[in-house]
């Protein structure tokens, strides 16, 4: 199974927005009742980075376990997830690395 951070954030943002709208909550609800800063919440919903404390606060606001909130997000390249992705978002292709650099996704040299 393969994951991509960018796809994870994009899908998480879409899920957060969907959950908020399903509950009939506005951006103001997230600010006033759940104590998120408006621009932070908007950035989360648009697929920008979210800190772990903010992610946990979102779980508390929606009253869902973390594992349920993030289940299935950011996966690509497996038969069971490709059909889901084609209907929602297009997975980015992994960047090619030259054989000379042999770097991992974290920028460290492999042995």
């Amino acid at each position: 199974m393969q994951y991509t951070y960018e796809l994870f954030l994009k899908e998480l943002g879409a899920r957060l927005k969907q959950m908020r709208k399903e509950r009939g909550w506005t951006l103001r609800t997230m600010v006033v009742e759940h104590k998120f800063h408006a621009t932070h919440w908007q950035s989360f919903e648009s697929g920008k980075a979210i800190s772990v404390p903010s992610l946990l606060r979102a779980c508390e606001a929606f009253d869902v376990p973390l594992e349920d909130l993030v289940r299935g997000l950011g996966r690509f390249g497996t038969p069971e997830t490709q059909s889901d992705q084609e209907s929602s978002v297009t997975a980015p292709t992994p960047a090619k690395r030259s054989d000379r650099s042999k770097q991992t996704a974290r920028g460290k040299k492999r042995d």
Side-chain angles (χ1 to χ4, degrees), residues 6-105:
E6 292 80 14
L7 181 60
F8 173 83
L9 290 176
K10 183 175 183 177
E11 291 176 346
L12 176 62
R15 185 169 290 173
L16 290 171
K17 186 173 188 174
Q18 176 186 6
M19 291 172 67
R20 177 179 61 80
K21 288 187 171 200
E22 285 173 352
R23 287 163 175 76
W25 295 352
T26 63
L27 178 59
R28 183 165 175 73
T29 304
M30 299 312 296
V31 172
V32 174
E33 294 181 24
H34 300 289
K35 310 296 185 220
F36 285 96
H37 192 279
T39 56
H40 285 149
W41 188 260
Q42 288 172 319
S43 72
F44 302 154
E45 286 188 0
S46 67
K48 302 289 189 272
I50 183 171
S51 68
V52 173
S54 293
L55 187 60
L56 296 176
R57 285 183 50 225
C59 290
E60 290 173 0
F62 291 116
D63 194 30
V64 297
L66 176 62
E67 52 272 14
D68 290 350
L69 181 62
V70 301
R71 182 172 287 122
L73 300 179
R75 296 187 306 192
F76 73 97
T78 58
E80 62 272 5
T81 59
Q82 277 187 328
S83 62
D84 293 340
Q85 289 173 2
E86 290 169 0
S87 64
S88 60
V89 294
T90 304
T93 56
K96 292 184 179 180
R97 294 187 177 91
S98 69
D99 290 335
R100 283 188 331 181
S101 67
K102 293 187 180 180
Q103 292 187 345
T104 65

